[in-house]
Amino acid sequence: MSWGTELWDQFDNLEKHTQWGIDILEKYIKFVKERTEIELSYAKQLRNLAKKYQPKKNSKEEEEYRYTACKAFLSTLNEMNDYAGQHEVISENMTSNITVELARYVQELKQERKSYFHDGRKAQQHIEICWKQLESSKRRFERDCKEADRAQQYFEKMDADINVTKADVEKARQQAQARHQMAEDSKADYSSILQKFNHEQHEYYHTHIPNIFQKIQEMEERRIVRIGESMKTYAEVDRQVIPIIGKCLDEIVKAAESIDQKNDSQLVIEAYKSGFEPPGDVEFEDYTQPMKRTVSDNSLSNSRGEGKPELKFGGKSKGKLWPFIKKNKLMSLLTSPHQPPPPPPASASPSAVPNGPQSPKQPKEPLSHRFNEFMTSKPKIHCFRSLKRGGATPEDFSNLPPEQRRKKLQQKVDELNKEIQKEMDQRDAITKMKDVYLKNPQMGDPASLDHKLTEVSQNIEKLRLEAQKFEAWLAEVEGRLPARSEQARRQSGMFDAQNPATVNNCAQDRESSPDGSYTEDQSQEGEVKVLATDFDDEFDEEEPLPAIGTCKALYTFEGQNEGTISVVEGETLYVIEEDKGDGWTRIRRNEDEEGYVPTSYVEVYLDKNAKDP
């Protein structure tokens, strides 16, 4: 069906309809444009999400991604980046293939439509002019016919009147003939114009308008076809990325299937295995015997008391401390007394307070209670030999358990070997360049590379020495690890017979906690033989802490609790540890006598140059 024949009289309606078609096309363009913006925004949000959960460089999170579950999660994040990239592809393809193309087509369509309706309006104006000419000729012909009829009637009237002269009659006859001739001319003109109008009208309704409307119809059909093709392109753009998106999802599933719970469990073992063996059996504690404490019997050492055992530190112990208990926890139990120090006496005279104020005695706790405290407390590492006061990690990682130390040393050796290889590659490259310069002096001066070659060689030598140092420590650790079963047997012997006196090498400066947790009554103990533990070969014995000053006793103090030491008024001693805020100061009399006294009982003179006795 043709619009030219069926809609020949619907020029205005066709004009409105074609404008509506263009509006629809522009609306679809706007829809696709907003879709592309959504795709871009979605892709950006996906990328930001993936970036947010990426492990930070040089952080603890990087170590966590050794586990297969974390690796799968990292793979998921990477696939999400690719997934976001496909949404960006959708946006780009829709913009280039639909939005841009349709926008250009709309401009062309508007121009084409404008030209067609311009031709239609021009044809309308032409037929309207012809119609006006026809109407004008018709009115003139009608007017001339009426004038001729009136002139004829006037002539006949004059001719019948006997009183009118012959000249007047002749004049009237001539006028009637003239009017009749004018009517005939008007008739011929009207007839000619009428034929012309009919021809133009036929051409207008059967040729011009049908052709114009046919072109408009074809234009509209092309618009409809074009919007249909754009919708297909819209779907195809999405369809094209479906395989890649499916591949991304398949990779995520593959990463999820690669999770190995057994491997992760093994990694946990490797990460936290200490290399120690579990402790041996705990000895029976007999509470049926009366418990008595004597003054200073249970202090770190008391060489002044007669018949008392002298504490000897530095040797290897037959029974080692529990290997899985961190030395810093023992240190926290073997530091200053748990009670606040006693106030100084009211009188400075020793006679006023014969025996001096006594530090409060702690009720004894069963060893099982202390064992539970060991296991449940979360220690802060501050007592290993390698972490003396400075808090820095030792170069040989001696603060770590054997297995962890071995891993750290191996990692360090591998890093140094990589650096050595890198320097060697650089040296080889410089050597080759020097050979080229020697063969072709115009390319450069060979002597200019000597300094760089020497510097690289020195770096290699330094790195090799460093690697040898760490390899020696690694060999030392690996040589010890196989003998862990023998060491475990030594470690499990924590108590000597029925005299459970626990001594930690890390806290060798005191026998046990000043609260009396580990000390049995002297009458039950008999002769106590205290040996220093070496806490496995990983933790070597500490040297005595250096003196940081001197102090003078202001009052006499009888140290009755473990960890304390007796002093006499006026006595001068060495200070080895300042008051940490708990009211106790750690002092030393000689190599075997040291302990805590109330800070208010002594006057401290800090001197960095003070010598250790």
Side-chain angles (χ1 to χ4, degrees):
M1 303 295 289
S2 174
W3 287 5
T5 57
E6 301 296 330
L7 303 176
W8 59 269
D9 57 345
Q10 299 298 322
F11 184 90
D12 293 338
N13 288 333
L14 287 180
E15 187 176 17
K16 293 178 181 178
H17 176 77
T18 52
Q19 181 60 47
W20 170 82
I22 293 176
D23 293 341
I24 287 293
L25 195 57
E26 290 179 336
K27 183 184 294 186
Y28 183 73
I29 294 172
K30 185 178 180 181
F31 160 75
V32 176
K33 186 176 180 181
E34 291 184 3
R35 164 72 190 277
T36 59
E37 292 174 354
I38 290 173
E39 292 292 340
L40 282 177
S41 176
Y42 181 50
K44 182 179 180 180
Q45 291 179 22
L46 285 179
R47 289 191 184 277
N48 290 339
L49 180 65
K51 182 179 179 181
K52 176 181 178 182
Y53 287 94
Q54 285 282 351
K56 297 179 177 60
K57 292 184 179 180
N58 302 323
S59 67
K60 185 180 179 182
E61 291 183 5
E62 281 193 333
E63 297 181 1
E64 296 174 355
Y65 281 83
R66 298 175 301 162
Y67 300 99
T68 56
C70 293
K71 287 181 179 178
F73 178 54
L74 183 60
S75 177
T76 300
L77 295 178
N78 294 332
E79 294 301 330
M80 288 305 296
N81 270 323
D82 295 340
Y83 187 88
Q86 296 311 306
H87 285 278
E88 291 173 347
V89 170
I90 290 175
S91 175
E92 292 172 1
N93 290 342
M94 285 187 176
T95 300
S96 60
N97 298 337
I98 299 178
T99 306
V100 175
E101 292 295 328
L102 284 185
R104 183 167 54 248
Y105 176 71
V106 165
Q107 296 300 322
E108 296 173 356
L109 190 64
K110 288 180 177 179
Q111 292 295 329
E112 185 178 4
R113 174 181 174 276
K114 181 179 179 181
S115 65
Y116 291 151
F117 282 98
H118 176 72
D119 293 342
R121 288 193 182 91
K122 188 176 181 180
Q124 279 185 335
Q125 291 174 359
H126 178 71
I127 198 67
E128 287 175 358
I129 291 173
C130 291
W131 172 257
K132 290 179 180 179
Q133 289 177 353
L134 177 63
E135 286 294 320
S136 176
S137 175
K138 181 181 178 181
R139 287 195 297 270
R140 186 170 61 253
F141 172 58
E142 182 182 6
R143 185 179 66 250
D144 289 344
C145 287
K146 289 180 180 180
E147 289 293 333
D149 186 52
R150 285 197 297 270
Q152 183 65 30
Q153 290 178 1
Y154 179 74
F155 166 69
E156 291 177 354
K157 181 179 178 182
M158 293 293 288
D159 187 45
D161 189 357
I162 59 174
N163 296 322
V164 176
T165 63
K166 188 176 180 179
D168 291 336
V169 172
E170 185 63 25
K171 184 179 179 180
R173 184 179 67 79
Q174 291 178 356
Q175 287 181 351
Q177 288 179 350
R179 292 293 181 182
H180 181 72
Q181 185 62 39
M182 289 176 63
E184 289 294 331
D185 292 341
S186 298
K187 179 180 178 181
D189 186 54
Y190 170 66
S191 176
S192 174
I193 293 176
L194 179 60
Q195 289 179 359
K196 182 180 178 182
F197 173 77
N198 288 334
H199 175 74
E200 292 293 339
Q201 181 175 259
H202 185 273
E203 290 291 326
Y204 175 79
Y205 286 112
H206 294 85
T207 304
H208 297 306
I209 289 299
N211 289 339
I212 293 173
F213 282 12
Q214 184 65 30
K215 292 178 180 178
I216 293 175
Q217 181 181 357
E218 292 173 358
M219 177 194 71
E220 184 67 10
E221 289 174 353
R222 288 198 307 272
R223 178 193 65 80
I224 296 171
V225 171
R226 189 61 176 269
I227 196 171
E229 291 175 350
S230 298
M231 290 180 180
K232 288 182 181 179
T233 305
Y234 178 87
E236 286 300 322
V237 168
D238 264 338
R239 195 190 306 276
Q240 288 172 0
V241 301
I242 286 177
I244 303 177
I245 291 178
K247 189 175 180 181
C248 292
L249 298 178
D250 291 341
E251 290 296 326
I252 293 175
V253 173
K254 184 178 178 181
E257 292 174 349
S258 69
I259 295 176
D260 186 355
Q261 66 276 14
K262 298 297 183 182
N263 182 69
D264 286 2
S265 298
Q266 183 62 32
L267 289 176
V268 174
I269 294 175
E270 294 176 1
Y272 300 109
K273 183 178 179 181
S274 66
F276 294 129
E277 296 292 340
D281 295 337
V282 178
E283 297 293 338
F284 174 74
E285 300 178 51
D286 190 356
Y287 291 98
T288 59
Q289 299 294 331
M291 301 178 186
K292 298 180 181 179
R293 295 184 183 275
T294 59
V295 177
S296 300
D297 282 347
N298 297 319
S299 59
L300 279 172
S301 60
N302 189 358
S303 60
R304 295 178 301 167
E306 295 181 0
K308 299 298 187 295
E310 180 179 354
L311 301 184
K312 296 182 179 180
F313 295 91
K316 300 291 182 179
S317 65
K318 294 181 180 179
K320 294 191 176 183
L321 208 59
W322 295 305
F324 57 85
I325 298 174
K326 294 189 176 181
K327 297 171 74 176
N328 55 310
K329 179 57 190 174
L330 294 175
M331 187 66 176
S332 67
L333 294 173
L334 298 176
T335 52
S336 58
H338 290 183
Q339 293 101 343
S347 173
S349 173
S351 61
V353 184
N355 296 325
Q358 297 180 354
S359 19
K361 297 188 70 173
Q362 286 280 5
K364 286 177 61 65
E365 296 182 72
L367 187 58
S368 59
H369 291 182
R370 182 59 60 192
F371 176 80
N372 290 335
E373 184 177 356
F374 278 148
M375 297 300 293
T376 58
S377 298
K378 183 175 182 182
K380 296 180 180 178
I381 299 176
H382 63 275
C383 156
F384 288 114
R385 173 180 60 80
S386 58
L387 299 181
K388 292 180 183 177
R389 297 190 181 271
T393 303
E395 187 181 15
D396 60 352
F397 303 106
S398 57
N399 61 313
L400 298 177
E403 188 67 25
Q404 301 304 314
R405 184 186 180 198
R406 183 192 65 78
K407 288 179 60 180
K408 287 289 186 181
L409 289 172
Q410 185 64 56
Q411 182 180 355
K412 188 68 176 179
V413 168
D414 293 341
E415 292 176 358
L416 289 171
N417 288 334
K418 288 181 181 179
E419 292 181 12
I420 291 173
Q421 185 61 43
K422 184 178 178 181
E423 293 290 335
M424 291 177 66
D425 293 341
Q426 186 177 359
R427 182 186 62 183
D428 294 342
I430 295 174
T431 303
K432 291 179 180 179
M433 186 179 294
K434 185 176 180 180
D435 293 340
V436 172
Y437 286 176
L438 289 172
K439 295 177 181 179
N440 302 286
Q442 67 274 10
M443 296 183 67
D445 182 13
S448 63
L449 299 176
D450 291 341
H451 176 71
K452 184 66 176 177
L453 195 59
T454 304
E455 182 181 350
V456 172
S457 299
Q458 291 175 352
N459 291 340
I460 292 175
E461 188 63 26
K462 290 179 182 178
L463 290 173
R464 281 178 176 170
L465 292 175
E466 190 78 5
Q468 289 174 3
K469 179 173 63 175
F470 280 94
E471 285 172 355
W473 285 332
L474 180 61
E476 179 185 0
V477 174
E478 289 178 342
R480 293 171 180 170
L481 287 180
R484 281 178 297 178
S485 58
E486 177 65 24
Q487 295 171 356
R489 286 194 292 271
R490 295 201 308 269
Q491 290 169 352
S492 61
M494 292 177 294
F495 304 101
D496 185 5
Q498 295 183 354
N499 302 316
T502 304
V503 179
N504 184 356
N505 176 50
C506 181
Q508 59 176 317
D509 43 354
R510 61 181 75 77
E511 174 187 342
S512 60
S513 176
D515 61 1
S517 301
Y518 295 112
T519 306
E520 296 296 331
D521 189 270
Q522 182 66 24
S523 63
Q524 176 184 345
E525 291 177 356
E527 182 178 356
V528 182
K529 185 179 181 181
V530 182
L531 299 176
T533 61
D534 61 355
F535 219 114
D536 204 342
D537 291 338
E538 286 300 318
F539 305 108
D540 299 335
E541 297 173 4
E542 287 188 9
E543 298 177 358
L545 293 175
I548 60 174
T550 59
C551 68
K552 180 180 180 181
L554 301 177
Y555 315 103
T556 298
F557 173 70
E558 296 291 343
Q560 295 182 344
N561 276 11
E562 295 178 69
T564 60
I565 184 173
S566 299
V567 296
V568 180
E569 181 181 0
E571 185 179 5
T572 300
L573 305 102
Y574 288 97
V575 177
I576 59 175
E577 187 175 303
E578 291 184 79
D579 186 350
K580 301 298 183 181
D582 54 1
W584 296 90
T585 299
R586 187 175 173 184
I587 63 173
R588 176 186 293 130
R589 177 176 287 109
N590 52 48
E591 291 184 357
D592 295 329
E593 282 191 278
E594 62 180 42
Y596 285 86
V597 295
T599 304
S600 58
Y601 276 61
V602 294
E603 184 175 359
V604 178
Y605 307 97
L606 293 180
D607 182 5
K608 294 183 179 179
N609 297 323
K611 300 295 183 180
D612 192 2

